[in-house]
Amino acid sequence: MKLNGSDIFVECLKEQGVDTVFGFPGGAVLNIYDALYKARDEIRHVLTSHEQGAAHAADGYARATGKTGVCIATSGPGATNLVTGIATAYMDSVPMVAFTGQVATPLLGKDSFQEVDITGITMPITKHNFIVKDVTKLADTIRRAFAIACEGRPGPVLVDICKDVSAAFAEFESKPPKKPRSAPSGVSEKDIEQAAEAINNSKQPIILSGGGVSIAGASQEVLELSGKAGIPVATTLMGLGSFPGTHELFTGLVGMHGSRTSNMAVSEADLFIAIGARFSDRVISNVKKFAPNAEIMHIDIDPAEIGKNIVVRYPLTGNIKKILKALNAKVKKRDYSAWNKKIDEWKVSYPLKYIKDEVLRPHYIVERIYELTKGESIITTEVGQNQLWAAQFYKYTAPRQFISSGGLGTMGYGLGACIGAQMGRPDKKVINIAGDGSFRMNCTEIATAVEYKLPIIIAILNNGVLGMVRQWQDLFYEKRYSATSIDRGTDFVALAEAFGAKGIRVTKPDEVDAALTEALASEDTPVLIDFQIDKDDKVFPIVPPGAPIYELID
């Protein structure tokens, strides 16, 4: 049958099973939005307040559901407003397809109104991108974009569609989506046997479980390996939930804000098993002194990550789930050992702790959120101290439960991601733990949450400063607080109510439970809680820049 480009666009989304898209219209995508209007009973379009909010919402939707997120923007500033969200998804391996409108093909390269080279701009932050100048190539380009986004190591793909393409006609034949190509395996039977032998012979092994474990659906295999061989497990920030935070073998985060137990275990281990992690600088800190006594085993889908930041003795490249299944079959069962005893003693001696007094502490707030939700909520965060307190004091027991910008560290990420996660998982209560600095960057997305009657909770840990930057100024810059005070008198409760949400202010510890209970009871209205905390509360432990991870400040 013959369809115009906009109808082909919609039909291709249906082929891919897309039921929700996030976006903001404009001139170059008017034809596409007209087609979306006609298909409104089949595809839900979520109108955000800003294109960056659309990108973060598509990202949060993808992380919460495991599906590919979709966002749309017009040409020029609409497209460039997606860039931060695309880069965020790229750094954290999130499957997303971003569609942008472009000027008509005769106007390309002429500095036309709202023309930018968005494919050139996004080339370094996408797995691949396309510009479509021929309507006959539109359908196959969209199909390819979805395939690329979710195969292998996932990531964002951008499709730029010229306006005349969206209006032109072409023959269209519906096709079922292709199964993603499996990642090529660089692992032989001999590799598996050598890796299993290394695990069986190790006396003090430790596992680092990263975000790739959740992406691969390999949490059960990591749990089996850990339990069978009695190996303690630490996680990266992105790996939270990939191994149960309540498990007896869990040691906490590792790296700059890792637990003392995790960092000491890594530093004394004789075998370090990294699974679905990329050895970022926030994990290894001083590379020459990272895991100094250990041989390194690295299991990852992306061969480019093997040996990139640290020397690896046992590289295992390919599908993590398949590799772990093969490895588990050859690993020997191990009883509680002297190493396990030492780890348990460290956990008792060096727990995460904070001052418990009459002051409203962020650590306490996160603990109460955990208790009152019974650990079952999806938590999104902004970036900074709020992110780390949420990581440390909420126990994540399942993949896709902790949603945060890890690699890029994007302030303003959490609210959009919270909206996307709630729309993708309406069966869960989704809570955005935010700092006041990050929150105000994209606070207009409250209007989106109100319009779509989303019962999200926005828990602002409001200290009136850019908390993490101020913490570094305090610890490492002799208390020169340059441009970090943002106590501008903004009334976040009044702001929430101006948008049509519910606002609650909390200033004392004994007000926390009542506020959270009220917020958790909301079924169709966003609730913002302004928790007013002290500006000098800090995230501990912290490894000073350039120091080995065993030299922590508590």
Side-chain angles (χ1 to χ4, degrees):
M1 58 181 167
K2 211 161 210 178
L3 299 176
N4 69 27
S6 298
D7 289 331
I8 290 171
F9 171 86
V10 168
E11 290 302 316
C12 286
L13 293 189
K14 290 188 212 174
E15 282 180 1
Q16 300 298 324
V18 175
D19 57 13
T20 304
V21 299
F22 303 87
F24 202 96
V29 288
L30 275 174
N31 297 328
I32 288 173
Y33 270 79
D34 191 52
L36 285 170
Y37 179 84
K38 290 182 284 187
R40 62 191 180 278
D41 292 335
E42 298 172 273
I43 298 176
R44 171 178 57 176
H45 177 272
V46 179
L47 176 63
T48 56
S49 298
H50 189 283
E51 291 93 351
Q52 187 178 134
H56 293 329
D59 176 307
Y61 178 92
R63 296 196 206 210
T65 64
K67 300 177 183 177
T68 300
V70 179
C71 58
I72 307 173
T74 192
S75 62
T80 58
N81 282 342
L82 292 178
V83 169
T84 297
I86 293 170
T88 301
Y90 183 73
M91 290 290 282
D92 291 342
S93 304
V94 178
M96 184 167 84
V97 178
F99 292 99
T100 53
Q102 185 53 276
V103 300
T105 51
L107 298 176
L108 286 171
K110 297 181 179 179
D111 293 333
S112 304
F113 178 67
Q114 291 193 332
E115 179 191 5
V116 297
D117 179 10
I118 194 62
T119 54
I121 289 169
T122 59
M123 190 175 292
I125 54 167
T126 53
K127 282 187 75 178
H128 199 81
N129 62 29
F130 304 88
I131 179 168
V132 184
K133 304 176 187 178
D134 180 348
V135 69
T136 64
K137 296 179 180 177
L138 178 61
D140 285 342
T141 299
I142 293 173
R143 291 164 183 150
R144 191 174 168 208
F146 276 91
I148 292 170
C150 61
E151 69 186 14
R153 180 179 180 173
V157 177
L158 180 132
V159 181
D160 195 33
I161 304 172
C162 291
K163 187 173 182 179
D164 54 329
V165 170
S166 67
F169 282 81
E171 286 293 331
F172 175 78
E173 181 183 348
S174 184
K175 297 179 182 179
K178 291 182 179 179
K179 286 186 178 181
R181 291 179 297 179
S182 58
S185 177
V187 179
S188 66
E189 183 68 21
K190 184 179 179 182
D191 292 329
I192 294 293
E193 289 175 356
Q194 288 178 340
E197 184 180 2
I199 294 171
N200 292 334
N201 291 337
S202 65
K203 302 298 182 187
Q204 299 187 160
I206 186 166
I207 292 171
L208 176 65
S209 185
V213 172
S214 295
I215 293 169
S219 292
Q220 283 302 313
E221 285 73 21
V222 173
L223 188 63
E224 181 183 343
L225 174 61
S226 170
K228 189 174 183 181
I231 306 174
V233 178
T235 71
T236 64
L237 187 70
M238 291 291 94
L240 286 169
S242 64
F243 188 85
T246 53
H247 197 281
E248 60 185 4
L249 288 170
F250 181 65
T251 64
L253 292 174
V254 70
M256 178 175 282
H257 295 290
S259 69
R260 184 171 284 274
T261 299
S262 290
N263 285 8
M264 290 173 66
V266 170
S267 301
E268 294 195 16
D270 61 2
L271 180 65
F272 183 87
I273 308 166
I275 308 174
R278 58 186 179 85
F279 288 102
S280 80
D281 56 303
R282 290 300 172 102
V283 167
I284 61 179
S285 192
N286 187 323
V287 65
K288 293 180 180 178
K289 296 183 179 180
F290 181 79
N293 305 310
E295 291 185 319
I296 307 294
M297 183 182 300
H298 193 181
I299 306 172
D300 202 273
I301 197 168
D302 188 354
E305 292 297 339
I306 306 294
K308 184 175 81 174
N309 294 330
I310 203 158
V311 176
V312 175
R313 173 68 178 84
Y314 301 99
L316 300 171
T317 307
N319 183 290
I320 292 172
K321 191 179 183 76
K322 291 180 180 178
I323 291 171
L324 287 174
K325 282 188 174 185
L327 201 54
N328 286 337
K330 295 183 180 297
V331 167
K332 295 177 182 176
K333 183 167 178 57
R334 187 180 349 217
D335 295 327
Y336 187 83
S337 67
W339 176 235
N340 295 122
K341 184 173 185 291
K342 181 183 279 191
I343 297 285
D344 288 343
E345 288 171 351
W346 283 338
K347 286 162 75 170
V348 171
S349 300
Y350 306 112
L352 288 172
K353 57 187 178 181
Y354 61 93
I355 298 169
K356 297 183 179 180
D357 51 18
E358 297 305 309
V359 177
L360 182 59
R361 303 288 181 189
H363 327 70
Y364 175 75
I365 295 164
V366 177
E367 281 185 344
R368 294 312 298 155
I369 292 173
Y370 171 73
E371 293 294 338
L372 292 173
T373 61
K374 298 181 174 58
E376 295 179 355
S377 286
I378 292 173
I379 303 295
T380 68
T381 80
E382 301 292 346
V383 167
Q385 290 178 318
N386 63 89
Q387 178 185 37
L388 275 304
W389 286 320
Q392 291 175 331
F393 291 94
Y394 196 102
K395 297 180 178 69
Y396 302 93
T397 56
R400 306 190 180 282
Q401 190 182 6
F402 177 78
I403 296 174
S404 189
S405 171
L408 197 63
T410 305
M411 292 178 69
Y413 167 81
L415 181 52
C418 188
I419 288 168
Q422 186 69 80
M423 291 194 136
R425 293 295 306 274
D427 57 314
K428 290 286 186 180
K429 177 66 77 170
V430 185
I431 302 171
N432 181 37
I433 297 178
D436 48 317
S438 289
F439 168 72
R440 70 180 67 209
M441 287 188 170
N442 284 321
C443 63
T444 52
E445 294 305 335
I446 296 177
T448 308
V450 169
E451 179 180 353
Y452 294 95
K453 301 183 185 305
L454 302 178
I456 63 172
I457 298 173
I458 305 159
I460 302 178
L461 307 180
N462 181 4
N463 56 12
V465 295
L466 298 175
M468 185 58 82
V469 185
R470 179 186 168 90
Q471 175 169 330
W472 275 57
Q473 290 171 336
D474 192 352
L475 296 175
F476 311 123
Y477 289 84
E478 299 179 347
K479 302 185 187 299
R480 294 188 293 274
Y481 302 124
S482 176
T484 45
S485 176
I486 52 170
D487 190 5
R488 296 165 173 168
T490 305
D491 187 334
F492 289 123
V493 171
L495 179 70
E497 292 175 347
F499 278 114
K502 171 72 176 175
I504 305 171
R505 182 171 289 108
V506 173
T507 60
K508 301 174 183 176
D510 60 9
E511 298 170 347
V512 171
D513 280 17
L516 286 171
T517 300
E518 181 180 350
L520 288 166
S522 175
E523 296 182 353
D524 61 4
T525 302
V527 180
L528 180 151
I529 309 176
D530 180 13
F531 291 104
Q532 299 195 336
I533 65 171
D534 189 89
K535 64 186 177 186
D536 287 316
D537 266 328
K538 294 181 174 61
V539 174
F540 290 116
I542 180 172
V543 176
I549 64 169
Y550 51 81
E551 292 183 3
L552 305 96
I553 301 173
D554 287 317

